[in-house]
Amino acid sequence: MSEHTVSTQPIEGQRPGTSGLRAKVKTFQQPNYLENFVQAVFDSIGDISGQTLVLGGDGRFYNREAIQTILKMAAANGFAKVLVGQGGILSTPAASCVIRKYQAFGGLILSASHNPAGPDEDFGIKYNIGNGGPAPENVTEAIYARTLNITAYQILDCADINLDEKGKFSMGDMQVEVIDAVADYAALMQELFDFDAIRSLFTQDFSFAFDAMHAVTGPYAKVIFEGLLKAPHGTVMNGEPKDDFAGGHPDPNLTYAHELVDILYGEDAPDFGAASDGDGDRNMILGNHFFVTPSDSLAVMAANATLIPAYKKGIAGVARSMPTSGAADRVADVLGIDCFETPTGWKFFGNLMDAGKVTLCGEESFGTGSDHVREKDGLWAVLFWLNILAVRQESVEGVLADHWVTYGRNFYSRHDYEGVDSAAATQVLQNVRDQFDSLKGQTLAGRVVQMCDDFAYTDPIDGSVSENQGVRVLFEDGSRIIFRLSGTGTSGATIRIYLESYEPDTAKHGLDAQEALADMIDAANHISKLPELTGRDKPTVIT
Ligand code: G1P
Ligand code: ZN
């Protein structure tokens, strides 16, 4: 066994995006691509000698090979120990849980979230810091800077570790411990929620379907829902993780989770339906013929938090990403707590949670979480809802109807245009930017434009500034149209248009969101010239 220094050259395009470095598997398989990035991480995060690293991924194609390479590099770079999930698998929230529980220095998570997997699909890697959360921008920028001047990486020349066997192994001077991460995660969930109340819900006339979408949450969901909570066998659908997600697109939304959606909107639909994504951090919540927008889900959680054991004393504050609807703000107002508005991406919530300023966080992109870890957490959100339903003994639709009566309804939708030409996508946003001055005071969609800007955020804890986080058109009545380009795609550009309109009138709460927002959608197309520039007459995905 010997340690090698391998010389290398910088590879372009290794800047982490909204959630780590994402690229095609074929790109990651290029000589030195993975190694350069991992060495850049190890060179940028401080003194790692003698420290513990957590390592795991969503099980997608190339996960196992990447884990073996990273283990050998961790050993050569001086880590004392690596905790790796059995089979090389850790859901993203479980990785965050393990980093915190074992006070690791940080973790490497191998995932491209909900993006399709397989030899011709996507792979990804991101570094999480010791609080269990995604590295903040100053760290990801330092990693990127290092990828631009890297000249060599360190790797141990040794045999692979058997990732399927739990236990402690040596790799040079480093210890590798293969752990059962489902157990640690399930233990944390039992501390937070009233498992007895949820168990008793399953003895009543209550039915539930959970779609793991052939991805990482299957084993976790089976242990928690069918094992600990005694939900009937078969509650968990598509529960065997596959390295290509069975050819699917494990993004829990109305388009990609259609198998579950068909069940919840079919005959004899269950009372409750939920799904999670490739790496287990996203969630979709459905009732019988009913969809809960993620923005509303966050607001309902905030309003009902004291029903949950972990949050029974109340929540410190809430945070939402800027494009997420203002539904949670209304709850925060009534509760007399702060509501923070951050840029898109979970990494912006970490400082607020560490400082004790917020307990619950959410994004419109099917992400909700709390300070129990520092990632969004799909199964946690499902358990939160089950606990609410167990206590309130109402339907999902009933909980929402009641919520809207109290707080009003924020009609909300996101329209995604995927695989658009990059120059056209940039121009769509620029068109709106060019009209910032002239739009102000104009009436669009029957509403007066109050202001337009490029969203910028100053972190209230460390003062760091993040600019250009979305083009906003804000109306006097609180309605909003927001344009953003995705930072997680691996080919072409994705334009996201976020539409929101507030409706206090209960009589109008039954409207379909697309109907309620129709004039806003027209206005968005008109000011951006999106149809003309992209040649698209409808979005790829509507959520
Ligand atoms: C998307 C979502 C964002 C989320 C991220 C990672 O990023 O919009 O809210 O944090 O995935 O799950 P985007 O592609 O928009 O940059
Ligand atoms: Zn994800």
Side-chain angles (χ1 to χ4, degrees):
M1 192 161 341
S2 62
E3 193 180 314
H4 280 300
T5 299
V6 181
S7 56
T8 186
Q9 284 180 346
I11 298 174
E12 270 177 34
Q14 295 201 321
R15 178 182 241 141
T18 313
S19 187
L21 177 65
R22 299 226 179 130
K24 292 286 170 211
V25 166
K26 293 253 161 19
T27 304
F28 267 98
Q29 287 171 325
Q30 283 167 22
N32 300 349
Y33 190 92
L34 174 71
E35 291 84 349
N36 273 20
F37 187 77
V38 171
Q39 188 65 50
V41 171
F42 291 163
D43 288 348
S44 310
I45 55 177
D47 185 7
I48 54 179
S49 61
Q51 298 287 356
T52 298
L53 180 75
V54 170
L55 180 60
D58 60 19
R60 66 177 57 228
F61 185 85
Y62 196 55
N63 193 62
R64 281 178 177 265
E65 292 88 325
I67 297 246
Q68 298 291 355
T69 301
I70 296 167
L71 284 173
K72 291 168 193 170
M73 289 184 66
N77 276 275
F79 275 103
K81 184 170 183 176
V82 176
L83 296 168
V84 55
Q86 199 173 3
I89 296 181
L90 282 176
S91 78
T92 293
S96 187
C97 159
V98 171
I99 293 170
R100 293 169 69 77
K101 181 165 181 173
Y102 299 102
Q103 294 171 356
F105 188 79
L108 281 169
I109 302 178
L110 310 179
S111 168
S113 188
H114 51 278
N115 295 9
D120 296 314
E121 299 294 353
D122 289 358
F123 195 73
I125 177 166
K126 71 173 180 173
Y127 177 67
N128 279 27
I129 58 175
N131 74 355
E137 269 188 341
N138 61 335
V139 177
T140 56
E141 283 300 300
I143 293 168
Y144 174 57
R146 182 68 181 134
T147 67
L148 297 177
N149 61 21
I150 190 163
T151 55
Y153 64 84
Q154 318 292 326
I155 191 160
L156 206 64
D157 185 10
C158 63
D160 285 356
I161 291 282
N162 177 2
L163 296 171
D164 296 313
E165 200 182 316
K166 273 190 293 183
K168 294 180 177 159
F169 308 92
S170 319
M171 203 175 229
D173 294 335
M174 186 179 84
Q175 189 187 78
V176 178
E177 186 172 353
V178 179
I179 58 167
D180 173 358
V182 176
D184 285 326
Y185 180 81
L188 177 58
M189 293 302 114
Q190 289 176 88
E191 284 170 27
L192 303 176
F193 297 106
D194 186 345
F195 270 50
D196 286 336
I198 302 173
R199 234 182 319 256
S200 92
L201 187 64
F202 288 123
T203 65
Q204 303 163 21
D205 181 20
F206 177 85
S207 50
F208 169 39
F210 177 81
D211 191 350
M213 302 187 83
H214 305 285
V216 77
T217 52
Y220 295 82
K222 281 187 192 160
V223 166
I224 293 171
F225 299 138
E226 296 182 6
L228 297 167
L229 291 170
K230 309 250 180 305
H233 186 71
T235 296
V236 177
M237 302 158 47
N238 302 320
E240 278 305 313
K242 297 271 184 336
D243 72 355
D244 64 350
F245 303 142
H249 189 150
D251 199 0
N253 61 39
L254 294 174
T255 301
Y256 294 124
H258 48 84
E259 192 178 340
L260 179 74
V261 172
D262 287 348
I263 294 172
L264 269 291
Y265 281 82
E267 267 176 51
D268 296 325
D271 300 290
F272 183 57
S276 190
D277 72 330
D279 62 329
D281 57 357
R282 293 186 175 199
N283 73 91
M284 176 169 68
I285 301 295
L286 299 169
N288 184 333
H289 291 77
F290 193 83
F291 167 65
V292 183
T293 69
S295 296
D296 276 346
S297 181
L298 175 65
V300 168
M301 285 180 177
N304 290 277
T306 52
L307 303 179
I308 312 289
Y311 314 104
K312 68 171 186 287
K313 295 202 179 110
I315 51 176
V318 287
R320 61 164 175 86
S321 65
M322 180 274 286
T324 304
S325 96
D329 305 43
R330 295 181 183 273
V331 177
D333 249 8
V334 170
L335 295 177
I337 56 174
D338 284 331
C339 182
F340 295 85
E341 185 178 43
T342 59
T344 295
W346 210 259
K347 60 186 169 217
F348 295 101
F349 294 136
N351 275 351
L352 295 169
M353 288 193 273
D354 285 352
K357 292 198 174 296
V358 305
T359 308
L360 300 181
C361 305
E363 293 196 275
E364 50 63 43
S365 52
F366 298 81
T368 14
S370 88
D371 60 0
H372 67 289
V373 290
R374 293 292 182 275
E375 288 279 4
K376 55 190 178 239
D377 189 343
L379 291 175
W380 167 90
V382 179
L383 288 164
F384 201 120
W385 267 93
L386 282 168
N387 204 151
I388 292 176
L389 297 176
V391 175
R392 289 186 50 156
Q393 296 284 317
E394 277 177 85
S395 68
V396 174
E397 186 172 0
V399 170
L400 260 296
D402 181 53
H403 187 88
W404 293 333
V405 167
T406 310
Y407 300 98
R409 177 169 180 189
N410 293 67
F411 280 105
Y412 186 83
S413 185
R414 181 175 111 183
H415 288 198
D416 292 337
Y417 294 82
E418 296 177 352
V420 172
D421 170 68
S422 293
T426 308
Q427 190 55 45
V428 166
L429 269 69
Q430 191 56 40
N431 282 345
V432 182
R433 218 175 262 127
D434 289 344
Q435 299 168 73
F436 276 179
D437 290 338
S438 60
L439 282 174
K440 202 175 156 190
Q442 255 193 53
T443 302
L444 279 182
R447 303 155 167 91
V448 179
V449 177
Q450 185 178 42
M451 65 169 278
C452 307
D453 69 356
D454 266 298
F455 181 64
Y457 176 69
T458 303
D459 185 298
I461 312 303
D462 66 17
S464 60
V465 177
S466 305
E467 288 175 327
N468 296 320
Q469 299 293 325
V471 168
R472 305 194 295 178
V473 179
L474 307 178
F475 295 85
E476 280 179 355
D477 70 351
S479 303
R480 304 188 301 164
I481 302 175
I482 292 146
F483 300 83
R484 243 190 98 245
L485 297 185
S486 159
T488 55
T490 57
S491 55
T494 294
I495 306 170
R496 304 201 196 286
I497 305 184
Y498 309 82
L499 305 136
E500 177 180 7
S501 164
Y502 179 65
E503 181 54 73
D505 182 357
T506 314
K508 295 187 184 152
H509 287 168
L511 272 183
D512 170 70
Q514 301 308 314
E515 265 172 57
L517 294 165
D519 50 356
M520 301 278 286
I521 296 167
D522 287 344
N525 285 339
H526 177 70
I527 58 174
S528 67
K529 303 270 174 299
L530 182 143
E532 293 88 327
L533 278 162
T534 62
R536 305 285 179 90
D537 58 1
K538 59 175 188 325
T540 323
V541 178
I542 295 180
T543 49

